[in-house]
Amino acid sequence: MSLIATRQQIYSNEATDILHQISMYPGILEQQVCAFHPDKKAQVENLITYFIKQERIQREDNGSLYIIGCSPKPQKDVLIRSIWVLIDFLKDVEFHCAGDYPIMIVFLIKGKEYQIIYAEDGHEAIIGTLLNQQKDHTARRIILVDSSEQISNLIMPGIVGYCTVDTYGRIQYYKAQT
């Protein structure tokens, strides 16, 4: 006797993950959610459509996803750019979560903490001061900048690299000077 899997059994893990990702990263793009599940793109797209019909999530015209009742964050575009950086490392990531400004995302690779930090153009000194005041300097920091010209103005411990991300998710990395 063979058992037929129900929709609940087939989709339950992905459904939980998708809702968690959308609530943790409000404004995440649909294509980014699909990137978290590269072998299940069709299932993810179906679940997103299903959640929209159920009015559990909403989709903006640009593809940004939100849990119903959750308003867009002021720095949504920065979060979207930070998620692209996370996705670039995703195959090695053991854990990830949203951070508090200026730390956009925290993730672990081989038990080592990495932080994606946003340094807004013109605010490099403030970001440096905030991060230099932290007692724990063991995290490896990837600094997301608006332009490569900012890099020389960023001085803080733990920087492993810098990057820019355009609106299409293309990332340009710059090596930290040691």
Side-chain angles (χ1 to χ4, degrees):
M1 172 159 126
S2 68
L3 298 174
I4 299 174
T6 65
R7 174 180 269 218
Q8 170 84 21
Q9 292 166 325
I10 293 170
Y11 292 127
S12 66
N13 289 340
E14 287 80 17
T16 302
D17 287 348
I18 289 167
L19 290 173
H20 178 69
Q21 290 155 357
I22 295 170
S23 65
M24 184 170 26
Y25 304 121
I28 189 171
L29 298 174
E30 183 171 348
Q31 66 190 92
Q32 291 176 322
V33 176
C34 289
F36 280 100
H37 309 272
D39 299 331
K40 299 179 180 181
K41 183 179 181 198
Q43 288 177 339
V44 170
E45 289 171 344
N46 287 338
L47 282 166
I48 289 171
T49 300
Y50 176 71
F51 289 141
I52 290 170
K53 286 180 184 175
Q54 278 192 323
E55 297 182 355
R56 293 179 77 181
I57 64 172
Q58 61 188 15
R59 180 193 300 130
E60 288 187 341
D61 291 339
N62 70 348
S64 290
L65 300 169
Y66 299 92
I67 299 294
I68 293 290
C70 178
S71 59
K73 300 281 186 197
Q75 291 192 314
K76 176 184 70 171
D77 64 318
V78 175
L79 180 60
I80 289 170
R81 290 167 40 209
S82 299
I83 294 168
W84 284 124
V85 176
L86 172 63
I87 289 169
D88 211 26
F89 291 90
L90 200 57
K91 68 177 176 55
D92 298 318
V93 171
E94 300 158 356
F95 169 82
H96 61 90
C97 66
D100 291 321
Y101 180 83
I103 301 169
M104 302 303 295
I105 297 175
V106 176
F107 62 96
L108 298 177
I109 295 178
K110 296 182 180 175
K112 295 182 184 291
E113 180 184 345
Y114 288 80
Q115 299 172 341
I116 301 170
I117 296 169
Y118 175 56
E120 185 177 359
D121 193 14
H123 293 95
E124 298 85 359
I126 295 167
I127 300 300
T129 301
L130 283 172
L131 295 172
N132 281 321
Q133 289 176 355
Q134 289 183 340
K135 293 181 177 153
D136 181 14
H137 295 290
T138 59
R140 291 157 173 77
R141 295 172 167 161
I142 302 166
I143 311 298
L144 172 60
V145 294
D146 294 319
S147 73
S148 60
E149 288 79 31
Q150 294 175 253
I151 294 172
S152 62
N153 298 326
L154 290 160
I155 301 167
M156 65 190 83
I159 297 175
V160 294
Y162 305 87
C163 66
T164 57
V165 182
D166 69 15
T167 55
Y168 301 103
R170 292 180 296 227
I171 304 169
Q172 176 68 49
Y173 289 101
Y174 304 89
K175 189 172 181 170
Q177 299 296 324
T178 55

